[in-house]
Amino acid sequence: EAGVAQSPRYKIIEKRQSVAFWCNPISGHATLYWYQQILGQGPKLLIQFQNNGVVDDSQLPKDRFSAERLKGVDSTLKIQPAKLEDSAVYLCASSSTFGAYNEQFFGPGTRLTVL
Amino acid sequence: KQEVTQIPAALSVPEGENLVLNCSFTDSAIYNLQWFRQDPGKGLTSLLLIQSSQREQTSGRLNASLDKSSGRSTLYIAASQPGDSATYLCAVWGNNNDMRFGAGTRLTVKP
């Protein structure tokens, strides 16, 4: 079974530029999560999707971050414009469905550096 | 708001030692607690998941315990090996319907 795929693996941009990350979850997984992991900290949940609907985006900085999952499969996370404090690893995870009893599987992450 | 704390932040042990990693959380109303391993530049790998009704889970040399009432979990690693070197994260799924992570313990096992 193929795992969660993410691209790019690394991205370096200057502040005020835009950037987009892509995630392909495990086939058949209805739930998709985006996390932000700042160096030295644990991952922080940004947004959860169930199929193509948003379950929770309460921790997403909506003035600059956006995410979509149009066909209920792949997802993109965008930052526009980027700030220095957005430097982090962005992790995508998926689970078979939503809820506490469903194990999440993580991708390798995208490391973003904002200069 | 759920806060998850892991102590120590870093740990270095010689190969073969048994060790314990600690995780504490402030809100005992959780559905489950999960331990993950993170290698440098890689994503998270799930090690053990303990449901709120369970007291412990075991997988090979790993044993995780959960004391929900005191807000604590431990991860016990027996006979540590250099390949166990990684960052270990604990996470709890609570009433907010999301997963809250600790900052992790960076483990180094020296040959």
Side-chain angles (χ1 to χ4, degrees):
Chain A
E1 170 179 87
V4 177
Q6 291 188 247
S7 68
R9 292 296 312 278
Y10 306 92
K11 190 74 176 178
I12 300 174
I13 62 172
E14 295 190 350
K15 61 182 179 184
R16 291 188 289 273
Q17 285 188 325
S18 301
V19 65
F21 313 127
W22 173 83
C23 172
N24 180 242
I26 292 174
S27 178
H29 277 194
T31 308
L32 186 146
Y33 311 81
W34 282 102
Y35 290 87
Q36 179 193 56
Q37 186 176 23
I38 293 172
L39 186 64
Q41 300 180 19
K44 182 184 84 170
L45 180 70
L46 294 175
I47 188 168
Q48 307 180 57
F49 290 95
Q50 177 73 0
N51 297 311
N52 60 350
V54 175
V55 175
D56 180 13
D57 63 357
S58 58
Q59 299 190 85
L60 186 74
K62 299 181 186 64
D63 58 333
R64 298 183 299 105
F65 286 64
S66 64
E68 60 183 13
R69 194 184 183 200
L70 292 175
K71 297 182 180 178
V73 181
D74 294 3
S75 177
T76 55
L77 176 69
K78 297 179 182 178
I79 307 175
Q80 181 179 8
K83 292 185 176 181
L84 296 177
E85 58 261 36
D86 297 332
S87 293
V89 175
Y90 290 84
L91 296 164
C92 179
S94 70
S95 61
S96 57
T97 188
F98 180 76
Y101 304 104
N102 297 286
E103 185 178 359
Q104 293 184 29
F105 297 85
F106 283 78
T110 296
R111 182 176 298 277
L112 173 67
T113 302
V114 182
L115 302 176
Chain B
K1 178 185 171 185
Q2 179 75 269
E3 299 287 342
V4 182
T5 304
Q6 291 188 245
I7 295 173
L11 180 64
S12 181
V13 300
E15 182 177 3
E17 265 201 14
N18 303 325
L19 60 101
V20 175
L21 307 180
N22 297 292
C23 173
S24 61
F25 45 95
T26 54
D27 185 349
S28 61
I30 64 169
Y31 290 106
N32 65 41
L33 183 143
Q34 200 163 356
W35 282 94
F36 293 88
R37 169 184 173 139
Q38 187 172 32
D39 292 283
K42 303 251 179 104
L44 278 64
T45 301
S46 178
L47 298 173
L48 291 164
L49 185 150
I50 311 177
Q51 303 293 354
S52 60
S53 59
Q54 298 174 321
R55 298 283 291 183
E56 65 177 339
Q57 283 285 339
T58 298
S59 175
R61 295 182 292 108
L62 305 179
N63 175 275
S65 68
L66 174 63
D67 184 343
K68 213 173 69 162
S69 61
S70 67
R72 294 183 180 183
S73 175
T74 61
L75 178 66
Y76 175 83
I77 302 178
S80 59
Q81 304 170 358
D84 295 330
S85 297
T87 296
Y88 290 80
L89 296 155
C90 76
V92 297
W93 187 290
N95 288 339
N96 288 333
N97 260 334
D98 64 4
M99 189 176 284
R100 300 280 172 140
F101 284 82
T105 294
R106 188 173 69 253
L107 174 66
T108 302
V109 181
K110 298 178 179 178

